[in-house]
Amino acid sequence: MIDVNLTGVFNTVEIAIPSMIERGAGGAIVLTSSTAGINGVGGPSRGGLGYTASKHGVVGLMRSYANALAPHRIRVNSVHPTGVNTPMVVNDVMQQWLAADPSVADAMTNALPVDMVEPVDISNAILWLVSDDARYVTGVTLPVDAGFTNKK
């Protein structure tokens, strides 16, 4: 979990930085975390704990990179989706996991009356963060979560 969700993000950003700095035109990097990156969710299982820890780590990377890259006019932010209607969430294993502990399923509900958001909702947030409309937005955690975080 840590290798993919955190080390993978670190390695990807590290590869992108030199060419962005060399180009000298600034830019934007958006890291994908999760509502688990700004809330203590995921349950007490090893998988849940690893997932939550890795997504919190992404926030730490984002904030550190935002400070380090600001002199180069490179903005760094993170998005934090609730459940997204993708195969990562919509699969038999996830459904079995949620069914095994109804308290986890109850704790993962959104404030707005939707079970999940759509992938395009996350894409739209990222498009805004990389656009000139967000040219002075850096170092922020942007929940795209149907009110999940606010509900906590």
Side-chain angles (χ1 to χ4, degrees):
M1 191 76 65
I2 300 294
D3 282 347
V4 172
N5 289 355
L6 184 56
T7 305
V9 170
F10 169 79
N11 288 333
T12 301
V13 174
E14 285 295 309
I15 290 297
I17 289 171
S19 64
M20 292 179 80
I21 291 173
E22 182 179 312
R23 200 175 73 249
I29 297 170
V30 180
L31 307 181
T32 303
S33 182
S34 163
T35 53
I38 49 179
N39 297 286
V41 297
S45 71
R46 288 179 172 271
L49 291 168
Y51 183 81
T52 298
S54 69
K55 294 302 186 174
H56 271 76
V58 168
V59 172
L61 283 178
M62 177 275 294
R63 289 179 173 150
S64 296
Y65 280 129
N67 288 329
L69 298 174
H72 302 285
R73 295 180 304 133
I74 299 171
R75 300 174 291 109
V76 186
N77 296 290
S78 57
V79 293
H80 300 265
T82 188
V84 181
N85 188 15
T86 66
M88 180 183 150
V89 175
V90 182
N91 63 68
D92 292 339
V93 173
M94 180 64 86
Q95 296 312 308
Q96 291 170 359
W97 180 70
L98 292 171
D101 188 350
S103 68
V104 172
D106 291 342
M108 295 177 70
T109 59
N110 300 316
L112 293 175
V114 295
D115 291 332
M116 291 178 274
V117 298
E118 295 299 321
V120 70
D121 300 313
I122 312 312
S123 299
N124 287 338
I126 293 169
L127 283 171
W128 177 74
L129 284 169
V130 302
S131 76
D132 286 341
D133 290 339
R135 67 185 172 272
Y136 298 122
V137 178
T138 192
V140 302
T141 56
L142 179 61
V144 183
D145 67 355
F148 177 89
T149 298
N150 189 60
K151 183 179 157 189
K152 297 296 164 209

